Amino acid sequence: MSVGKQLLFSVLTAEPVAARSNMLTRLQDSGVSEQMFAGDDEAAAYRFIVDYRRRYGVCPSIALVEVETEIRFPNYTSQHPFEYWFDEFRK
């Protein structure tokens, strides 16, 4: 399991849907960049999510991110909150 992938997953599955953009803004405001992600698939997914939100005003679905990038999100059985994954990512 990748912390970066879990972090992206937590953003894309956040409820309510409006929270997704707020989480993404928080990542960007804290200086998170695509270079900080461990894998090329994670970096591409982050870039796609940021670009999509900038163009269309909302975050894309998990399915669209998987189709447009090389990332594959497993069916995570334990969903920890965004805050947990954000703290782990910053470590």
Side-chain angles (χ1 to χ4, degrees):
M1 167 195 65
S2 161
V3 172
K5 193 178 280 191
Q6 282 276 17
L7 178 62
L8 295 175
F9 183 81
S10 72
V11 169
L12 295 173
T13 59
E15 292 295 333
V17 172
R20 297 172 189 176
S21 284
N22 293 337
M23 291 175 182
L24 191 56
T25 297
R26 185 154 175 228
L27 292 177
Q28 291 179 290
D29 288 350
S30 69
V32 171
S33 68
E34 64 186 80
Q35 293 79 18
M36 299 172 82
F37 286 88
D40 291 341
D41 61 339
E42 294 173 15
Y46 180 73
R47 182 176 53 249
F48 178 78
I49 294 165
V50 168
D51 289 345
Y52 187 95
R53 200 244 343 227
R54 183 177 34 77
R55 285 183 175 174
Y56 306 110
V58 295
C59 289
S61 67
I62 288 175
L64 183 60
V65 174
E66 287 184 332
V67 166
E68 295 293 333
T69 68
E70 296 295 317
I71 200 165
R72 295 295 171 258
F73 293 103
N75 291 325
Y76 294 113
T77 56
S78 174
Q79 176 72 32
H80 296 291
F82 167 79
E83 294 296 329
Y84 173 80
W85 294 116
F86 188 45
D87 289 343
E88 290 296 304
F89 185 78
R90 289 187 297 184
K91 288 180 186 176

